[in-house]
Amino acid sequence: MSDSLALWTTERIQALAPDDQVKKSAQALAQPAKWQATGRQANVIWGEHQGSASAPYRVVVDLDASTLKCTCPSHKQPCKHALGMFLAAQSSPKAFRAAEPPEWVQQWITNRQAVAARQAKADHDKPVDAKAQAKRAAKREKLVDQGVGALALWMDDLMRQGLAGLAAQPHSFWETQAARLVDAQAPGLARRVREMETLLHSGTRWHDGMLERLSRLHLLLEAYQRIEALPPDLQEQVRTQMGWTQDQATLRAQPGVRDQWAVVGAREEEQDRLRVRRTWLWGLNTHRSAMIVEFAQPNQGFETLLPLGVALEAELVFWPGAVPQRALVKQEERRKPVDQLSGYGSLRAALADWGQALARSPWLDYFLLPLENAIPSRRNDTWVLCDAEKTCVPLSLAENDGWRLMALSAGYPLTLIGEWNGETLTPLSLLTAATPGVGLLALGGPR
Amino acid sequence: MSHWETLAANALVGTDRAPALPPLKDTPLDVTLTRVQDLPPPRRLLAAAAIVALWQRAGMEPPIADQPLPDPAPQDDLALCSPRAARFLQRLLVEGLHDLVPEYLAALARRRHGISPLAMPELFDYATEHPSLCPLIIPVLGELGRWLAAHNPAWASLFVTPDVSFLAAQWETTGRKGRLTLLAQLRASDPAAARDAIAKTFDQDPAEDRAAFLAMLADQLSPADEAFLESALEDKSKRVRAVAADLLARLPHSALGQRMIARIQPLVQSARSRLDFSLPSQCDAAMERDGIQPKPPPGIGERAWWLAQIVAAVPLSFWTQLIARQPSDLVKLIAKSDQRAAILSGWAHAAGRGGDAAWCEALLHQWIEDPWISREHPTTLAEFSQAEELAERIPQDRLEAWMIELLKRKQVPENEAQSTLMILSQYRRPWSAAFTRAVLDRMWNLPVQLPYPLASAWIACPVELCGDPSVEPQFSKRKGRLRAPGISGKMRHALETLAFRREMLDALKD
């Protein structure tokens, strides 16, 4: 593989920081002088830093496997040490000389390989006891049926009595129903119920959002109850929405889609007490979007690193569904920086695609929108994005990021890639002639 | 009401009370809705809501912009700074290192580069709170910066110098704080207009405001201001009179100066090697009108205090005309006199107002060697003299050469060390490499037993901001620990800041 380190610019590394505090602290640690026992072998880089603890913190970065690891107990990942060392290696590669990895690095690599091998073996060697599997599947179907039935009755009651009464309901009203759905092995439904409770605090028009969510949930339940009659990919979509997972090993065995997949941005959220990150990829030739979804415990970090502005020449395998979005990288060949990108020429075309996608999968939450010839501007104290036909959509971004966007465009069109949720566009990255040689530029962080 | 509004209203009260669907026609949407009308009411409402919601979501038609889009920014003649340099400015603003922003902007201006668009919002926000930064931003603003600022009402007035007549017209309707900014802008472009503005409301303004506005005349002070200042000597407020007298004393040929000369002449006996003073016998109304305060502060006698104030207001040229000798000789002549405290503090005060380098140097040397303060009340005359202000008026190479020599001395009496450090802490011009090295060397070798006042004076010394960054590597490489314990933190901070500034200035060379 070509020198992957060269693809990591300071901006790309800083974009991995979970917040500004870590970014600032990492910068302070970005000097090679702060790192001892450093070294590099191929695309594995390591070093030690004497912090406040008695033993030094150890950091290892594996560019091939896209992981960062530090031994410090920090809650925020990637921590300032990991990022600091990465920054130091990027700005002063000579300080990380070629060497044999020390024991602890060897151990770490071996451990990871062992875990991966064990996982693969477990996937392969699983005694495919077809009978037991079928029995479990049937049991689950039965539980879900019961759960769905109970949920439908609960919603009927709710609609009869009216949404106005919801404001007075205690937390247990929602939590009990959600817990029942978890027991019924339908975690996707449980999540929807929990999310609805948070809507009560969303402002004076909360009942609009509540009705919309309830109606979409109703649609899901109806779809599930008629699942046999649906086309296969819609069946998959419904099952995924309900909470059925895919076996990743089986997925990897499927044929995928090859392309230059540009990493265009990421967003993070909290879901069921976990942190979820979705990283968007845009196929430069196929013009398909893909979403890499990762989960992390609150105390741990996301393991993989995908540098924004880099295109992975790779094969992606998609989760089956009516509108395939979620994917994983089956195989990666090489990476190159992105310096041009083509997308939708107009908002009309983009939103037409969005409409089509919704028709195929009514529960679609997000849609990637790379828009060419877009001009940001300010209207009535809000930010909007206009295309060449002067069609405008509202932008969702921090005040100063809006000014930054405007400064980068200087009134001229640029290519903006954003995430559309049906109402607003959240900018992820952009390409502009204003910053030559910089390529794809992130706007704000992954939040 | 739209379908959604009806459904939402019904959902709010519940289908037990409002079971019906909205009335349906033969539009495609309504035809779809008829398919669910036979469901039981709760299911019917949910299904209808699902249909309408999805229809709205998928069919959302974004509006067409009715206003024209902004004109693009004009072509820039300023080249953009490098990405590395841009990153530094962002760091300065985000990490709160605002003290370094002026240096950054000045270096950028020297290269004739423009500020990066990535840093503009934060920089402009900061400039609204610190308008003194605007003159530094303007040379590196470029067409893009001007264009961007014009679009945000909070920034629009930052870099545009408004018309003088417009400013003057604002005077009466602006509050106190706004008036001070207004005066600063007016005085810079049309000094007479600023004076006229102050005069317009002078009689009605409260005393505090009168004093503050009058003080703004220090900028672009000229003989044209004399008449107005003389009239201010009649003011009811002591503070206003003091400000007026101070400003008049700064004008080289003012009537006040002449009056002071007339007062001092009978009190002086001079010869080639003699300069004797007698004390004034009274402080009459005319003297009070000219700003002489009759009541002395503690530590100086009443008549000596009057003498000091008179001397402070006499143009310094009087003395060199009286005795044809250099200021350094005059200072030495006074050194043994009984009135040395009064005279020297008067001279120092005058030199601080606008004396030439020779006077400043002579007085500063004297101050370090043997400060003219009383042991019981050291602050009184020190405040009146303000010796530390003299450093800025001495040519940099002479001052630094002398201070390097002072810093190299091993055994220094504490008060001399304190005076030296006081000057150091106020010396804000960019230091030479040699001077920076001398300061850091001295700091490195400070003794373990360092008295607290000296230690805190060292900690206050601005080496990290004013020092020459090229000196840092040789000190960062030094082994060993600093002996004076409070100082090691200061040294570390100083070296880190110098290293940072070195990197920053290097990035700006790209």
Side-chain angles (χ1 to χ4, degrees), chain A residues 274-302:
Chain A
L274 282 177
R275 280 170 53 227
V276 185
R277 180 167 75 191
R278 51 182 183 277
T279 308
W280 284 103
L281 305 182
W282 176 251
L284 292 177
N285 302 310
T286 58
H287 285 193
R288 277 188 74 159
S289 65
M291 189 167 69
I292 311 244
V293 179
E294 299 167 283
F295 299 88
Q297 294 288 341
N299 285 353
Q300 293 167 8
F302 296 104

PDB file of all heavy atoms in Angstrom, chain A residues 274-302:
ATOM      1  N   LEU A 274     -25.908   4.284  23.755  1.00  0.00           N
ATOM      2  CA  LEU A 274     -24.665   4.032  23.023  1.00  0.00           C
ATOM      3  C   LEU A 274     -24.406   5.252  22.157  1.00  0.00           C
ATOM      4  O   LEU A 274     -25.325   5.978  21.811  1.00  0.00           O
ATOM      5  CB  LEU A 274     -24.822   2.834  22.086  1.00  0.00           C
ATOM      6  CG  LEU A 274     -24.755   1.446  22.668  1.00  0.00           C
ATOM      7  CD1 LEU A 274     -25.013   0.432  21.562  1.00  0.00           C
ATOM      8  CD2 LEU A 274     -23.402   1.173  23.285  1.00  0.00           C
ATOM      9  N   ARG A 275     -23.149   5.437  21.770  1.00  0.00           N
ATOM     10  CA  ARG A 275     -22.867   6.477  20.787  1.00  0.00           C
ATOM     11  C   ARG A 275     -22.837   5.813  19.421  1.00  0.00           C
ATOM     12  O   ARG A 275     -22.255   4.745  19.265  1.00  0.00           O
ATOM     13  CB  ARG A 275     -21.545   7.157  21.103  1.00  0.00           C
ATOM     14  CG  ARG A 275     -21.723   8.202  22.210  1.00  0.00           C
ATOM     15  CD  ARG A 275     -20.416   8.738  22.715  1.00  0.00           C
ATOM     16  NE  ARG A 275     -19.574   9.231  21.656  1.00  0.00           N
ATOM     17  CZ  ARG A 275     -18.274   8.936  21.543  1.00  0.00           C
ATOM     18  NH1 ARG A 275     -17.689   8.154  22.413  1.00  0.00           N
ATOM     19  NH2 ARG A 275     -17.568   9.435  20.562  1.00  0.00           N
ATOM     20  N   VAL A 276     -23.495   6.459  18.453  1.00  0.00           N
ATOM     21  CA  VAL A 276     -23.557   5.898  17.102  1.00  0.00           C
ATOM     22  C   VAL A 276     -22.929   6.902  16.145  1.00  0.00           C
ATOM     23  O   VAL A 276     -23.224   8.093  16.210  1.00  0.00           O
ATOM     24  CB  VAL A 276     -25.022   5.687  16.660  1.00  0.00           C
ATOM     25  CG1 VAL A 276     -25.054   4.988  15.328  1.00  0.00           C
ATOM     26  CG2 VAL A 276     -25.772   4.901  17.704  1.00  0.00           C
ATOM     27  N   ARG A 277     -22.082   6.422  15.277  1.00  0.00           N
ATOM     28  CA  ARG A 277     -21.518   7.313  14.260  1.00  0.00           C
ATOM     29  C   ARG A 277     -21.847   6.764  12.895  1.00  0.00           C
ATOM     30  O   ARG A 277     -21.622   5.579  12.637  1.00  0.00           O
ATOM     31  CB  ARG A 277     -20.010   7.434  14.415  1.00  0.00           C
ATOM     32  CG  ARG A 277     -19.405   8.369  13.358  1.00  0.00           C
ATOM     33  CD  ARG A 277     -17.997   8.760  13.666  1.00  0.00           C
ATOM     34  NE  ARG A 277     -17.065   7.691  13.412  1.00  0.00           N
ATOM     35  CZ  ARG A 277     -15.796   7.712  13.810  1.00  0.00           C
ATOM     36  NH1 ARG A 277     -15.336   8.720  14.493  1.00  0.00           N
ATOM     37  NH2 ARG A 277     -15.009   6.694  13.536  1.00  0.00           N
ATOM     38  N   ARG A 278     -22.365   7.626  12.010  1.00  0.00           N
ATOM     39  CA  ARG A 278     -22.562   7.193  10.635  1.00  0.00           C
ATOM     40  C   ARG A 278     -21.626   8.028   9.761  1.00  0.00           C
ATOM     41  O   ARG A 278     -21.679   9.265   9.776  1.00  0.00           O
ATOM     42  CB  ARG A 278     -24.017   7.331  10.178  1.00  0.00           C
ATOM     43  CG  ARG A 278     -24.642   8.664  10.413  1.00  0.00           C
ATOM     44  CD  ARG A 278     -26.091   8.668   9.966  1.00  0.00           C
ATOM     45  NE  ARG A 278     -26.641   9.989  10.143  1.00  0.00           N
ATOM     46  CZ  ARG A 278     -27.128  10.454  11.297  1.00  0.00           C
ATOM     47  NH1 ARG A 278     -27.183   9.668  12.362  1.00  0.00           N
ATOM     48  NH2 ARG A 278     -27.572  11.688  11.387  1.00  0.00           N
ATOM     49  N   THR A 279     -20.758   7.330   9.049  1.00  0.00           N
ATOM     50  CA  THR A 279     -19.813   7.974   8.147  1.00  0.00           C
ATOM     51  C   THR A 279     -20.349   7.795   6.737  1.00  0.00           C
ATOM     52  O   THR A 279     -20.603   6.667   6.301  1.00  0.00           O
ATOM     53  CB  THR A 279     -18.426   7.322   8.255  1.00  0.00           C
ATOM     54  OG1 THR A 279     -18.035   7.279   9.621  1.00  0.00           O
ATOM     55  CG2 THR A 279     -17.403   8.114   7.474  1.00  0.00           C
ATOM     56  N   TRP A 280     -20.491   8.895   6.013  1.00  0.00           N
ATOM     57  CA  TRP A 280     -21.040   8.842   4.662  1.00  0.00           C
ATOM     58  C   TRP A 280     -19.938   8.700   3.632  1.00  0.00           C
ATOM     59  O   TRP A 280     -18.903   9.386   3.692  1.00  0.00           O
ATOM     60  CB  TRP A 280     -21.805  10.134   4.372  1.00  0.00           C
ATOM     61  CG  TRP A 280     -23.143  10.229   5.017  1.00  0.00           C
ATOM     62  CD1 TRP A 280     -23.465  10.959   6.113  1.00  0.00           C
ATOM     63  CD2 TRP A 280     -24.359   9.580   4.603  1.00  0.00           C
ATOM     64  NE1 TRP A 280     -24.791  10.819   6.416  1.00  0.00           N
ATOM     65  CE2 TRP A 280     -25.370   9.975   5.499  1.00  0.00           C
ATOM     66  CE3 TRP A 280     -24.694   8.714   3.559  1.00  0.00           C
ATOM     67  CZ2 TRP A 280     -26.694   9.532   5.385  1.00  0.00           C
ATOM     68  CZ3 TRP A 280     -26.003   8.274   3.453  1.00  0.00           C
ATOM     69  CH2 TRP A 280     -26.981   8.689   4.363  1.00  0.00           C
ATOM     70  N   LEU A 281     -20.210   7.830   2.653  1.00  0.00           N
ATOM     71  CA  LEU A 281     -19.308   7.688   1.516  1.00  0.00           C
ATOM     72  C   LEU A 281     -20.096   7.979   0.245  1.00  0.00           C
ATOM     73  O   LEU A 281     -21.290   7.681   0.168  1.00  0.00           O
ATOM     74  CB  LEU A 281     -18.743   6.256   1.426  1.00  0.00           C
ATOM     75  CG  LEU A 281     -18.047   5.693   2.652  1.00  0.00           C
ATOM     76  CD1 LEU A 281     -17.528   4.300   2.347  1.00  0.00           C
ATOM     77  CD2 LEU A 281     -16.896   6.556   3.069  1.00  0.00           C
ATOM     78  N   TRP A 282     -19.407   8.567  -0.725  1.00  0.00           N
ATOM     79  CA  TRP A 282     -20.066   8.852  -2.000  1.00  0.00           C
ATOM     80  C   TRP A 282     -19.253   8.204  -3.117  1.00  0.00           C
ATOM     81  O   TRP A 282     -18.060   8.489  -3.255  1.00  0.00           O
ATOM     82  CB  TRP A 282     -20.165  10.364  -2.205  1.00  0.00           C
ATOM     83  CG  TRP A 282     -20.736  10.831  -3.497  1.00  0.00           C
ATOM     84  CD1 TRP A 282     -20.068  11.431  -4.526  1.00  0.00           C
ATOM     85  CD2 TRP A 282     -22.102  10.754  -3.920  1.00  0.00           C
ATOM     86  NE1 TRP A 282     -20.934  11.743  -5.562  1.00  0.00           N
ATOM     87  CE2 TRP A 282     -22.194  11.335  -5.218  1.00  0.00           C
ATOM     88  CE3 TRP A 282     -23.272  10.251  -3.351  1.00  0.00           C
ATOM     89  CZ2 TRP A 282     -23.386  11.428  -5.930  1.00  0.00           C
ATOM     90  CZ3 TRP A 282     -24.464  10.349  -4.052  1.00  0.00           C
ATOM     91  CH2 TRP A 282     -24.508  10.927  -5.337  1.00  0.00           C
ATOM     92  N   GLY A 283     -19.888   7.361  -3.897  1.00  0.00           N
ATOM     93  CA  GLY A 283     -19.197   6.697  -4.991  1.00  0.00           C
ATOM     94  C   GLY A 283     -18.970   7.693  -6.115  1.00  0.00           C
ATOM     95  O   GLY A 283     -19.927   8.207  -6.693  1.00  0.00           O
ATOM     96  N   LEU A 284     -17.697   7.955  -6.395  1.00  0.00           N
ATOM     97  CA  LEU A 284     -17.396   9.008  -7.362  1.00  0.00           C
ATOM     98  C   LEU A 284     -17.869   8.655  -8.766  1.00  0.00           C
ATOM     99  O   LEU A 284     -18.174   9.543  -9.559  1.00  0.00           O
ATOM    100  CB  LEU A 284     -15.891   9.288  -7.377  1.00  0.00           C
ATOM    101  CG  LEU A 284     -15.352   9.929  -6.098  1.00  0.00           C
ATOM    102  CD1 LEU A 284     -13.840  10.095  -6.170  1.00  0.00           C
ATOM    103  CD2 LEU A 284     -15.999  11.276  -5.849  1.00  0.00           C
ATOM    104  N   ASN A 285     -17.920   7.377  -9.099  1.00  0.00           N
ATOM    105  CA  ASN A 285     -18.377   6.982 -10.430  1.00  0.00           C
ATOM    106  C   ASN A 285     -19.824   6.498 -10.426  1.00  0.00           C
ATOM    107  O   ASN A 285     -20.600   6.839 -11.308  1.00  0.00           O
ATOM    108  CB  ASN A 285     -17.463   5.885 -10.985  1.00  0.00           C
ATOM    109  CG  ASN A 285     -16.023   6.357 -11.059  1.00  0.00           C
ATOM    110  OD1 ASN A 285     -15.744   7.416 -11.582  1.00  0.00           O
ATOM    111  ND2 ASN A 285     -15.110   5.570 -10.490  1.00  0.00           N
ATOM    112  N   THR A 286     -20.175   5.683  -9.442  1.00  0.00           N
ATOM    113  CA  THR A 286     -21.525   5.133  -9.400  1.00  0.00           C
ATOM    114  C   THR A 286     -22.547   6.145  -8.902  1.00  0.00           C
ATOM    115  O   THR A 286     -23.748   5.947  -9.077  1.00  0.00           O
ATOM    116  CB  THR A 286     -21.595   3.918  -8.454  1.00  0.00           C
ATOM    117  OG1 THR A 286     -21.172   4.355  -7.156  1.00  0.00           O
ATOM    118  CG2 THR A 286     -20.696   2.800  -8.945  1.00  0.00           C
ATOM    119  N   HIS A 287     -22.066   7.202  -8.255  1.00  0.00           N
ATOM    120  CA  HIS A 287     -22.968   8.200  -7.661  1.00  0.00           C
ATOM    121  C   HIS A 287     -23.948   7.554  -6.693  1.00  0.00           C
ATOM    122  O   HIS A 287     -25.117   7.942  -6.628  1.00  0.00           O
ATOM    123  CB  HIS A 287     -23.717   8.986  -8.741  1.00  0.00           C
ATOM    124  CG  HIS A 287     -22.835   9.992  -9.416  1.00  0.00           C
ATOM    125  ND1 HIS A 287     -23.307  10.985 -10.223  1.00  0.00           N
ATOM    126  CD2 HIS A 287     -21.493  10.154  -9.378  1.00  0.00           C
ATOM    127  CE1 HIS A 287     -22.295  11.706 -10.671  1.00  0.00           C
ATOM    128  NE2 HIS A 287     -21.189  11.223 -10.175  1.00  0.00           N
ATOM    129  N   ARG A 288     -23.464   6.560  -5.990  1.00  0.00           N
ATOM    130  CA  ARG A 288     -24.271   5.945  -4.924  1.00  0.00           C
ATOM    131  C   ARG A 288     -23.755   6.449  -3.593  1.00  0.00           C
ATOM    132  O   ARG A 288     -22.571   6.769  -3.460  1.00  0.00           O
ATOM    133  CB  ARG A 288     -24.074   4.430  -4.962  1.00  0.00           C
ATOM    134  CG  ARG A 288     -24.942   3.732  -5.973  1.00  0.00           C
ATOM    135  CD  ARG A 288     -24.815   2.267  -5.802  1.00  0.00           C
ATOM    136  NE  ARG A 288     -25.529   1.810  -4.609  1.00  0.00           N
ATOM    137  CZ  ARG A 288     -25.919   0.570  -4.434  1.00  0.00           C
ATOM    138  NH1 ARG A 288     -25.653  -0.341  -5.363  1.00  0.00           N
ATOM    139  NH2 ARG A 288     -26.552   0.203  -3.343  1.00  0.00           N
ATOM    140  N   SER A 289     -24.638   6.499  -2.624  1.00  0.00           N
ATOM    141  CA  SER A 289     -24.193   6.860  -1.284  1.00  0.00           C
ATOM    142  C   SER A 289     -24.151   5.597  -0.428  1.00  0.00           C
ATOM    143  O   SER A 289     -24.878   4.640  -0.684  1.00  0.00           O
ATOM    144  CB  SER A 289     -25.134   7.876  -0.658  1.00  0.00           C
ATOM    145  OG  SER A 289     -26.396   7.317  -0.455  1.00  0.00           O
ATOM    146  N   ALA A 290     -23.282   5.626   0.580  1.00  0.00           N
ATOM    147  CA  ALA A 290     -23.179   4.499   1.510  1.00  0.00           C
ATOM    148  C   ALA A 290     -22.928   5.072   2.887  1.00  0.00           C
ATOM    149  O   ALA A 290     -22.367   6.154   3.030  1.00  0.00           O
ATOM    150  CB  ALA A 290     -22.042   3.577   1.100  1.00  0.00           C
ATOM    151  N   MET A 291     -23.367   4.319   3.892  1.00  0.00           N
ATOM    152  CA  MET A 291     -23.284   4.807   5.260  1.00  0.00           C
ATOM    153  C   MET A 291     -22.616   3.717   6.083  1.00  0.00           C
ATOM    154  O   MET A 291     -23.126   2.606   6.174  1.00  0.00           O
ATOM    155  CB  MET A 291     -24.731   5.025   5.728  1.00  0.00           C
ATOM    156  CG  MET A 291     -24.901   5.711   7.008  1.00  0.00           C
ATOM    157  SD  MET A 291     -26.621   6.240   7.236  1.00  0.00           S
ATOM    158  CE  MET A 291     -27.470   4.740   7.438  1.00  0.00           C
ATOM    159  N   ILE A 292     -21.475   4.057   6.687  1.00  0.00           N
ATOM    160  CA  ILE A 292     -20.812   3.076   7.561  1.00  0.00           C
ATOM    161  C   ILE A 292     -21.245   3.412   8.973  1.00  0.00           C
ATOM    162  O   ILE A 292     -20.981   4.517   9.466  1.00  0.00           O
ATOM    163  CB  ILE A 292     -19.284   3.177   7.451  1.00  0.00           C
ATOM    164  CG1 ILE A 292     -18.867   3.189   5.996  1.00  0.00           C
ATOM    165  CG2 ILE A 292     -18.623   2.099   8.265  1.00  0.00           C
ATOM    166  CD1 ILE A 292     -18.047   2.045   5.559  1.00  0.00           C
ATOM    167  N   VAL A 293     -21.911   2.490   9.622  1.00  0.00           N
ATOM    168  CA  VAL A 293     -22.445   2.749  10.959  1.00  0.00           C
ATOM    169  C   VAL A 293     -21.597   2.026  11.987  1.00  0.00           C
ATOM    170  O   VAL A 293     -21.322   0.839  11.842  1.00  0.00           O
ATOM    171  CB  VAL A 293     -23.907   2.258  11.059  1.00  0.00           C
ATOM    172  CG1 VAL A 293     -24.453   2.515  12.449  1.00  0.00           C
ATOM    173  CG2 VAL A 293     -24.765   2.969  10.025  1.00  0.00           C
ATOM    174  N   GLU A 294     -21.187   2.772  13.003  1.00  0.00           N
ATOM    175  CA  GLU A 294     -20.413   2.154  14.086  1.00  0.00           C
ATOM    176  C   GLU A 294     -21.016   2.534  15.412  1.00  0.00           C
ATOM    177  O   GLU A 294     -21.575   3.625  15.562  1.00  0.00           O
ATOM    178  CB  GLU A 294     -18.978   2.668  14.062  1.00  0.00           C
ATOM    179  CG  GLU A 294     -18.232   2.359  12.803  1.00  0.00           C
ATOM    180  CD  GLU A 294     -16.959   3.172  12.763  1.00  0.00           C
ATOM    181  OE1 GLU A 294     -17.024   4.373  12.467  1.00  0.00           O
ATOM    182  OE2 GLU A 294     -15.897   2.592  13.047  1.00  0.00           O
ATOM    183  N   PHE A 295     -20.851   1.619  16.364  1.00  0.00           N
ATOM    184  CA  PHE A 295     -21.369   1.864  17.712  1.00  0.00           C
ATOM    185  C   PHE A 295     -20.211   1.897  18.692  1.00  0.00           C
ATOM    186  O   PHE A 295     -19.197   1.241  18.488  1.00  0.00           O
ATOM    187  CB  PHE A 295     -22.337   0.756  18.111  1.00  0.00           C
ATOM    188  CG  PHE A 295     -23.530   0.670  17.207  1.00  0.00           C
ATOM    189  CD1 PHE A 295     -23.499  -0.106  16.064  1.00  0.00           C
ATOM    190  CD2 PHE A 295     -24.679   1.386  17.497  1.00  0.00           C
ATOM    191  CE1 PHE A 295     -24.593  -0.167  15.223  1.00  0.00           C
ATOM    192  CE2 PHE A 295     -25.778   1.324  16.658  1.00  0.00           C
ATOM    193  CZ  PHE A 295     -25.742   0.541  15.516  1.00  0.00           C
ATOM    194  N   ALA A 296     -20.388   2.652  19.759  1.00  0.00           N
ATOM    195  CA  ALA A 296     -19.350   2.663  20.787  1.00  0.00           C
ATOM    196  C   ALA A 296     -19.993   2.868  22.139  1.00  0.00           C
ATOM    197  O   ALA A 296     -20.985   3.595  22.271  1.00  0.00           O
ATOM    198  CB  ALA A 296     -18.343   3.777  20.525  1.00  0.00           C
ATOM    199  N   GLN A 297     -19.400   2.246  23.159  1.00  0.00           N
ATOM    200  CA  GLN A 297     -19.833   2.486  24.523  1.00  0.00           C
ATOM    201  C   GLN A 297     -19.508   3.917  24.885  1.00  0.00           C
ATOM    202  O   GLN A 297     -18.584   4.485  24.336  1.00  0.00           O
ATOM    203  CB  GLN A 297     -19.068   1.541  25.464  1.00  0.00           C
ATOM    204  CG  GLN A 297     -19.391   0.083  25.277  1.00  0.00           C
ATOM    205  CD  GLN A 297     -20.769  -0.250  25.793  1.00  0.00           C
ATOM    206  OE1 GLN A 297     -21.342   0.498  26.577  1.00  0.00           O
ATOM    207  NE2 GLN A 297     -21.317  -1.358  25.337  1.00  0.00           N
ATOM    208  N   PRO A 298     -20.241   4.485  25.829  1.00  0.00           N
ATOM    209  CA  PRO A 298     -19.954   5.875  26.190  1.00  0.00           C
ATOM    210  C   PRO A 298     -18.526   6.082  26.642  1.00  0.00           C
ATOM    211  O   PRO A 298     -17.957   7.130  26.453  1.00  0.00           O
ATOM    212  CB  PRO A 298     -20.928   6.157  27.338  1.00  0.00           C
ATOM    213  CG  PRO A 298     -21.998   5.165  27.203  1.00  0.00           C
ATOM    214  CD  PRO A 298     -21.409   3.955  26.546  1.00  0.00           C
ATOM    215  N   ASN A 299     -17.927   5.067  27.245  1.00  0.00           N
ATOM    216  CA  ASN A 299     -16.569   5.241  27.758  1.00  0.00           C
ATOM    217  C   ASN A 299     -15.490   4.880  26.765  1.00  0.00           C
ATOM    218  O   ASN A 299     -14.321   4.990  27.064  1.00  0.00           O
ATOM    219  CB  ASN A 299     -16.374   4.376  29.006  1.00  0.00           C
ATOM    220  CG  ASN A 299     -17.079   5.003  30.192  1.00  0.00           C
ATOM    221  OD1 ASN A 299     -17.574   6.105  30.091  1.00  0.00           O
ATOM    222  ND2 ASN A 299     -17.116   4.285  31.285  1.00  0.00           N
ATOM    223  N   GLN A 300     -15.863   4.408  25.631  1.00  0.00           N
ATOM    224  CA  GLN A 300     -14.861   3.997  24.666  1.00  0.00           C
ATOM    225  C   GLN A 300     -15.011   4.795  23.389  1.00  0.00           C
ATOM    226  O   GLN A 300     -15.976   5.507  23.195  1.00  0.00           O
ATOM    227  CB  GLN A 300     -15.009   2.515  24.357  1.00  0.00           C
ATOM    228  CG  GLN A 300     -14.673   1.643  25.534  1.00  0.00           C
ATOM    229  CD  GLN A 300     -15.125   0.221  25.277  1.00  0.00           C
ATOM    230  OE1 GLN A 300     -15.542  -0.117  24.181  1.00  0.00           O
ATOM    231  NE2 GLN A 300     -15.036  -0.603  26.301  1.00  0.00           N
ATOM    232  N   GLY A 301     -14.056   4.647  22.530  1.00  0.00           N
ATOM    233  CA  GLY A 301     -14.078   5.387  21.281  1.00  0.00           C
ATOM    234  C   GLY A 301     -14.483   4.512  20.126  1.00  0.00           C
ATOM    235  O   GLY A 301     -14.598   3.300  20.261  1.00  0.00           O
ATOM    236  N   PHE A 302     -14.713   5.141  18.993  1.00  0.00           N
ATOM    237  CA  PHE A 302     -14.933   4.395  17.767  1.00  0.00           C
ATOM    238  C   PHE A 302     -13.588   3.885  17.299  1.00  0.00           C
ATOM    239  O   PHE A 302     -12.608   4.596  17.311  1.00  0.00           O
ATOM    240  CB  PHE A 302     -15.533   5.297  16.686  1.00  0.00           C
ATOM    241  CG  PHE A 302     -16.888   5.805  17.053  1.00  0.00           C
ATOM    242  CD1 PHE A 302     -17.058   7.106  17.476  1.00  0.00           C
ATOM    243  CD2 PHE A 302     -17.996   4.972  17.003  1.00  0.00           C
ATOM    244  CE1 PHE A 302     -18.306   7.572  17.829  1.00  0.00           C
ATOM    245  CE2 PHE A 302     -19.240   5.432  17.362  1.00  0.00           C
ATOM    246  CZ  PHE A 302     -19.397   6.744  17.785  1.00  0.00           C
TER     247      PHE A 302
END
